[in-house]
Amino acid sequence: MSSSTFLQGNNDKTVRSQSATFRIQPHSKQKVAYFHHKDVGNFHFGLQHPMKPHRLTLTNNLVMSYGLHEKMTVYCPPKATDDELMEFHETDYIKFLKNVTPENAEKFAEDFPKFNISEDCPIFEGLYDFCQIYAGASIAAAHQLASDGADICINWSGGLHHAKRFEASGFCFVNDIVLAIQHLLRFYPRVLYIDIDIHHGDGVQEAFYATDRVMTVSFHKYDSGNFFPGTGNISEIGYGLGKFFCLNVPLKDGIDDDSYVSLFKDVILDVRDHYQPSVIVLQCGADSLGKDRLGGFNISIKAHGECVRFIKSWQIPLLVLGGGGYRISNVARCWTYETGILLDTELQPELPQKTHYYNFFGPDFSLHPPLVRKLDNFNTRNELQKISQQVHELLRYLEGVPSVQMQELPGDLQGILDESDEELRDAREDQNVDIRGRKRLMWHDNEYFDGDSDNDKDDDQNMDVDLS
């Protein structure tokens, strides 16, 4: 195993060519770097909260049990600093996150509405440490990718795509994706962001809604505002310089493997050909899997992984992040399988018995349990063809690859963000789109609870090992 406990600094500003798409030599082995902080799985949102950071411990343990750590460089990344977090987030918001605790929460209660603190985004012990850890891993991974230290970087603790500049949202407090992309923009002309979480990647879309430096593409469930976060209609296409550089693929419940993978490849290949990205950020939310507690799709781990495999095959520098996923045994299976894909390593279908949490994966103890449930596919063939046609028509509006004058920083980033906020307000008035609508993600009544066979029904009680 090649490992490191820290990342060496690199102060060189590498200015890339504007026109080239950066591909790895086809006959060279892709270098993979893996970022995991030993403490990231030790935090607790609350007993009834569906977000379980312990899923990251399960994932890491399964990755190690398959011996995948021996085929990549493993890093324990540093925490993000206050200043790094404030490169995107408002100073007052970061100060709030840093200072509030469960013990002094009453003192800060008047700020809860301002920063969207709620049952979705509760105050828990170690909240700010948790944010620093997962955001620091994404920033470190972006740094390693930009400094040519790796061709593919993985941070399964990242991908928290709902957090906004001023507030928490949808279990997300700090938007590590935006922070990582901002770092990549210092080195690459064009960043393509792809999101396969079942929930719309609204926080990332909003951050880059008015720029052509980043193209955001999100595949997600959309139900006219009835499904969190209520955004992501195909009509949301960007604003100002960012017009047509935002693409949304809204789907309905029950989409299956063949329909999803076919549409994904059809859309994303056309995006690549039109946008010619310099680097790709891929958010792999596992709540799009079948039988997820908050999801409604019928997608298997193999189909989810096929999307990862397809993007990897392009040989373009790639940052891979986690995201949602609320049946944690399946999250661990999925991200372990996709780690294998990124390493060109086929994994045996039987889970290694030496994994520390082996009993948690029963009763099948398989990498690929059956995830398809008796659920109709409400995405008709005609509807999917119409979505595909609309997407291809939107991509035709791109007037060639955007020409970007490279600088150490992408222009006045703070000015761009301020201007973007103002344009977003105008856009909402013009389009009647509530891009920052404060809907709730928290689920109720165990909609997808599988009875006595559901190993995730009491996650905390089921753990017969030390969670630390």
Side-chain angles (χ1 to χ4, degrees):
M1 172 183 70
S2 175
S3 67
S4 175
T5 57
F6 65 96
L7 292 174
Q8 295 180 348
N10 182 349
N11 294 321
D12 295 333
K13 299 293 184 182
T14 304
V15 179
R16 312 271 183 164
S17 164
Q18 295 183 33
S19 59
T21 294
F22 305 107
R23 288 194 171 86
I24 302 151
Q25 293 300 316
H27 300 296
S28 64
K29 183 72 174 178
Q30 290 173 296
K31 296 177 293 182
V32 179
Y34 175 87
F35 296 79
H36 178 79
H37 193 288
K38 62 182 179 62
D39 296 329
V40 72
N42 295 340
F43 299 91
H44 200 271
F45 277 60
L47 187 61
Q48 298 300 320
H49 201 289
M51 174 61 95
K52 308 287 185 183
H54 189 64
R55 66 198 181 132
L56 303 168
T57 302
L58 262 67
T59 300
N60 185 63
N61 189 263
L62 197 55
V63 165
M64 300 295 175
S65 298
Y66 271 107
L68 296 177
H69 57 294
E70 298 175 355
K71 300 186 179 187
M72 56 189 175
T73 306
V74 179
Y75 294 99
C76 179
K79 292 181 180 180
T81 66
D82 299 352
D83 288 341
E84 284 175 325
L85 297 180
M86 288 187 287
E87 287 188 10
F88 172 61
H89 292 285
E90 269 294 307
T91 300
D92 288 348
Y93 175 53
I94 294 301
K95 287 181 177 179
F96 166 82
L97 292 178
K98 184 175 183 178
N99 292 321
V100 70
T101 67
E103 291 74 24
N104 67 14
E106 186 174 344
K107 174 183 174 183
F108 291 88
E110 64 180 19
D111 290 328
F112 284 10
K114 176 182 177 182
F115 298 126
N116 200 22
I117 301 304
S118 64
E119 62 176 355
D120 273 11
C121 302
I123 302 302
F124 57 87
E125 194 68 40
L127 167 60
Y128 193 62
D129 285 337
F130 179 61
C131 294
Q132 287 181 295
I133 287 172
Y134 76 75
S138 291
I139 293 169
H143 174 85
Q144 190 76 350
L145 198 65
S147 61
D148 294 325
D151 304 308
I152 299 171
C153 290
I154 305 169
N155 171 30
W156 293 125
S157 70
L160 277 68
H161 57 175
H162 295 306
K164 308 300 194 299
R165 185 182 172 198
F166 304 93
E167 65 185 33
S169 179
F171 312 165
C172 306
F173 293 88
V174 165
N175 200 314
D176 64 289
I177 306 172
V178 173
L179 293 167
I181 290 175
Q182 286 182 170
H183 186 81
L184 293 172
L185 287 171
R186 295 177 168 94
F187 300 87
Y188 296 96
R190 296 175 300 281
V191 179
L192 172 59
Y193 172 70
I194 305 169
D195 192 316
I196 58 173
D197 194 290
I198 197 171
H199 299 97
H200 177 229
D202 59 328
V204 184
Q205 172 178 297
E206 181 172 316
F208 301 109
Y209 206 61
T211 178
D212 59 2
R213 292 288 306 278
V214 180
M215 184 160 191
T216 61
V217 184
S218 180
F219 298 78
H220 51 267
K221 177 179 172 180
Y222 179 77
D223 185 18
S224 301
N226 295 317
F227 185 76
F228 184 89
T231 54
N233 196 0
I234 200 166
S235 61
E236 296 169 30
I237 59 173
Y239 195 80
L241 287 176
K243 191 172 183 179
F244 303 118
F245 291 92
C246 170
L247 201 60
N248 287 292
V249 182
L251 302 167
K252 298 178 181 178
D253 276 335
I255 192 164
D256 56 27
D257 285 2
D258 290 342
S259 299
Y260 189 90
V261 173
S262 176
L263 181 64
F264 177 85
K265 290 183 176 181
D266 174 58
V267 167
I268 214 65
L269 188 61
D270 203 17
V271 170
R272 184 202 68 180
D273 292 344
H274 278 84
Y275 191 61
Q276 297 181 32
S278 315
V279 62
I280 297 171
V281 177
L282 176 60
Q283 197 267 21
C284 299
D287 48 5
S288 49
L289 295 174
K291 294 188 177 180
D292 187 82
R293 289 173 177 270
L294 300 186
F297 288 174
N298 250 345
I299 299 174
S300 69
I301 289 172
K302 287 186 177 180
H304 199 273
E306 181 58 28
C307 298
V308 177
R309 190 191 313 275
F310 189 63
I311 301 303
K312 176 187 179 294
S313 71
W314 295 350
Q315 304 268 320
I316 297 172
L318 177 62
L319 172 56
V320 179
L321 303 172
Y326 308 101
R327 193 169 297 280
I328 66 176
S329 57
N330 290 340
V331 173
R333 288 175 166 107
C334 180
W335 291 345
T336 299
Y337 175 66
E338 290 171 352
T339 303
I341 287 173
L342 295 167
L343 290 165
D344 295 316
T345 300
E346 185 173 351
L347 304 182
Q348 64 184 32
E350 301 82 16
L351 297 181
Q353 293 190 20
K354 62 181 178 181
T355 182
H356 196 49
Y357 301 95
Y358 184 72
N359 291 333
F360 193 70
F361 295 96
D364 57 284
F365 305 103
S366 169
L367 187 62
H368 297 284
L371 299 184
V372 176
R373 54 177 177 252
K374 295 179 180 178
L375 181 68
D376 290 334
N377 185 353
F378 291 97
N379 303 269
T380 68
R381 178 173 296 184
N382 286 340
E383 287 174 334
L384 293 176
Q385 287 177 343
K386 182 179 179 181
I387 290 172
S388 175
Q389 182 181 1
Q390 288 176 307
V391 166
H392 293 308
E393 289 176 353
L394 286 170
L395 287 170
R396 288 173 55 196
Y397 283 96
L398 296 185
E399 297 179 359
V401 177
S403 176
V404 177
Q405 182 178 353
M406 290 299 296
Q407 306 167 9
E408 283 195 1
L409 295 174
D412 178 8
L413 190 57
Q414 190 64 45
I416 290 173
L417 289 171
D418 291 338
E419 183 179 353
S420 178
D421 285 337
E422 184 177 350
E423 289 176 331
L424 280 168
R425 285 191 290 270
D426 294 339
R428 286 191 213 105
E429 293 175 1
D430 294 341
Q431 302 176 16
N432 197 27
V433 175
D434 182 13
I435 295 177
R436 287 184 183 158
R438 288 182 166 183
K439 295 180 173 59
R440 297 290 175 234
L441 176 52
M442 182 75 82
W443 97 144
H444 297 283
D445 302 325
N446 293 330
E447 183 177 0
Y448 297 119
F449 170 57
D450 283 348
D452 292 337
S453 65
D454 187 344
N455 258 3
D456 281 358
K457 61 183 177 181
D458 294 306
D459 290 319
D460 304 294
Q461 286 80 7
N462 270 341
M463 293 298 165
D464 56 359
V465 292
D466 183 4
L467 296 188
S468 62

